[in-house]
Amino acid sequence: MTLRSGMVFSAIIALGIQSRAVAEVTDSELRTNLQQRIDKSKADIGVVVGIIDASGTRIISCGNEGSYNGDTVFEIGSVTKVFTSLILADMVTRGEVKVDDPISKYLPNSVKVPKRGGREITFVDLSTHSSGLPRLPGNLSFWHLLIHSDNPYAGYTVQEMYDFLSTYTLPRDIGAEYEYSNLGAGLLGHVLALKAGTDYEALVLERVCRPLGMTNTLITLSPEMKERMAQGHNAAGKAVPNWDMPALAGAGALRSTGNDLLKLVAANMGLTKSSLTPAMELEQVPRHDTDLPNTRVALAWHITKTRGIEMVWHNGGTGGFRTFIGFDKKNHRGVVVLTNSANDKNVDVDEIGGSLLANELDAPADEAKSSTVRH
């Protein structure tokens, strides 16, 4: 099992698959739609959807056996990458680093960062998944991931990451090709924390959460937040432990809530102003083509032109959770989708989020017809 990348892309986001345009999706319609999906899973799971549009901000939630709302805590997986790259953009706008600084400048001298053709890996290469580094480090073996699938990254250390970097040979020129890399995003978070002289979680709290008033986005949960934490479930509906990833925290370690993520989306859409507004604008600038249809990558954010809109989005997941956040700035619409189920066939957060951004309501797909592609 691997860390669920931010790059799940459903064919349902394209036009014409099981969708119907409506004047406005009502809360009642959406709640019925979500419950149908949950019923298919036959597990004690829930879904929380946050929407920002012309009518304001609202939370729609439902679930089996449990109470789910905008303050329920979920693992958000690779959505963490948006926070990591926002910190990079904030440091750039403050003049603390340059986007094209080589990361070797901020790592210990003992670490040999791979080079190719005289070119060094930079911050922007890591943030746009074009560094040439693989999805996962080679010394985090398939067998380790399989044996420790309930919490596969907990035992991976910073020294092991350093060891891998110092012996890795890049297979292609840096910046030549998009290849989604959890290692690259984790390394980015680590290097930024070194530059700031702190740890990754403290950096997120200082640079992102406090300016935006996000009080429920953390890695280390308080006892009160633990009580609000949803129980994760794997694709088979079995309850599974939470994931920990100390060395690769910048790739997927954060936990958050629907209400907190709506604050992040609102700020990115320009609906709320903060000290992070210039950094958010920098983070959203498209920089590189991807291997996804009609999609370019900015700093972490992916930008897809589909259904007549330009969707800025990211998603993610862990062993028992899935998350989608996205927005359409032109039409002033943003969506957050959270579930404590890893079953993409029954509860496809990308399908739900993508269709709601287009102001459409997609019927729940039959399991055999699921069109989710995981990269």
Side-chain angles (χ1 to χ4, degrees):
M1 180 180 292
T2 63
L3 175 67
R4 300 293 180 171
S5 80
M7 291 315 311
V8 183
F9 189 81
S10 298
I12 197 72
I13 290 177
L15 282 167
I17 301 179
Q18 293 188 319
S19 63
R20 62 175 180 84
V22 294
E24 186 67 39
V25 177
T26 68
D27 291 359
S28 177
E29 285 180 304
L30 178 55
R31 189 172 288 106
T32 298
N33 182 282
L34 296 176
Q35 191 62 53
Q36 289 173 347
R37 298 170 187 273
I38 291 170
D39 290 343
K40 287 176 177 288
S41 71
K42 298 181 174 65
D44 180 11
I45 66 168
V47 181
V48 173
V49 175
I51 298 175
I52 302 172
D53 57 20
S55 63
T57 300
R58 62 194 190 277
I59 292 282
I60 299 93
S61 61
C62 58
N64 290 339
E65 305 300 327
S67 175
Y68 298 87
N69 55 52
D71 292 323
T72 303
V73 180
F74 296 81
E75 290 183 346
I76 64 172
S78 288
V79 171
T80 300
K81 294 176 174 67
V82 171
F83 290 78
T84 304
S85 285
L86 180 54
I87 292 168
L88 169 61
D90 182 52
M91 287 186 170
V92 171
T93 59
R94 294 186 189 206
E96 298 172 4
V97 301
K98 296 179 180 178
V99 74
D100 56 358
D101 275 350
I103 62 170
S104 60
K105 181 178 179 180
Y106 304 100
L107 284 166
N109 292 332
S110 59
V111 183
K112 181 184 176 183
V113 180
K115 304 177 183 179
R116 185 174 169 116
R119 169 106 141 73
E120 295 191 54
I121 294 173
T122 68
F123 285 128
V124 71
D125 297 322
L126 295 180
S127 186
T128 58
H129 302 283
S130 56
S131 66
L133 292 174
R135 177 186 178 88
L136 292 172
N139 58 354
L140 185 59
S141 71
F142 168 79
W143 293 111
H144 172 90
L145 295 173
L146 184 64
I147 294 169
H148 301 284
S149 60
D150 279 350
N151 198 357
Y153 302 93
Y156 191 73
T157 67
V158 169
Q159 185 57 54
E160 286 175 312
M161 180 170 63
Y162 286 172
D163 292 343
F164 176 77
L165 287 174
S166 297
T167 59
Y168 187 68
T169 300
L170 295 172
R172 68 182 70 86
D173 289 345
I174 297 167
E177 186 176 327
Y178 171 95
E179 180 183 0
Y180 192 86
S181 176
N182 288 307
L183 168 61
L187 178 60
L188 176 60
H190 174 72
V191 175
L192 293 174
L194 287 179
K195 166 60 179 171
T198 187
D199 62 79
Y200 177 77
E201 181 174 24
L203 190 60
V204 171
L205 292 177
E206 177 189 353
R207 296 295 184 109
V208 180
C209 295
R210 291 194 181 103
L212 298 181
M214 299 173 68
T215 57
N216 288 284
T217 300
L218 295 162
I219 296 174
T220 308
L221 302 183
S222 67
E224 188 273 334
M225 286 186 70
K226 287 180 180 178
E227 292 181 359
R228 291 189 278 118
M229 180 85 194
Q231 170 64 62
H233 297 80
N234 64 18
K238 177 185 175 183
V240 292
N242 294 331
W243 277 11
D244 303 291
M245 48 193 77
L248 300 174
L254 288 173
R255 289 96 188 227
S256 190
T257 67
N259 282 330
D260 253 22
L261 291 178
L262 280 177
K263 293 177 182 178
L264 179 68
V265 171
N268 270 280
M269 293 171 65
L271 299 180
T272 57
K273 298 296 182 181
S274 77
S275 59
L276 285 170
T277 298
M280 288 178 169
E281 292 173 350
L282 177 63
E283 190 185 19
Q284 294 172 28
V285 175
R287 295 174 183 270
H288 205 290
D289 291 336
T290 73
D291 55 3
L292 301 173
N294 306 314
T295 300
R296 302 197 75 203
V297 65
L299 298 181
W301 286 114
H302 289 75
I303 303 172
T304 300
K305 292 184 178 180
T306 183
R307 293 182 169 183
I309 64 173
E310 185 172 87
M311 183 189 347
V312 183
W313 64 280
H314 211 294
N315 58 14
T318 59
F321 296 84
R322 294 288 182 271
T323 305
F324 173 95
I325 64 172
F327 54 92
D328 170 13
K329 292 180 78 170
K330 181 179 179 181
N331 294 302
H332 309 293
R333 192 171 183 87
V335 174
V336 171
V337 187
L338 298 146
T339 184
N340 56 332
S341 170
N343 192 324
D344 299 313
K345 295 179 179 179
N346 289 332
V347 185
D348 187 336
V349 297
D350 303 302
E351 176 189 321
I352 296 166
S355 63
L356 288 174
L357 279 178
N359 194 27
E360 298 176 351
L361 190 60
D362 292 321
D366 293 336
E367 186 163 327
K369 297 180 180 178
S370 175
S371 55
T372 297
V373 179
R374 186 166 296 279
H375 291 263

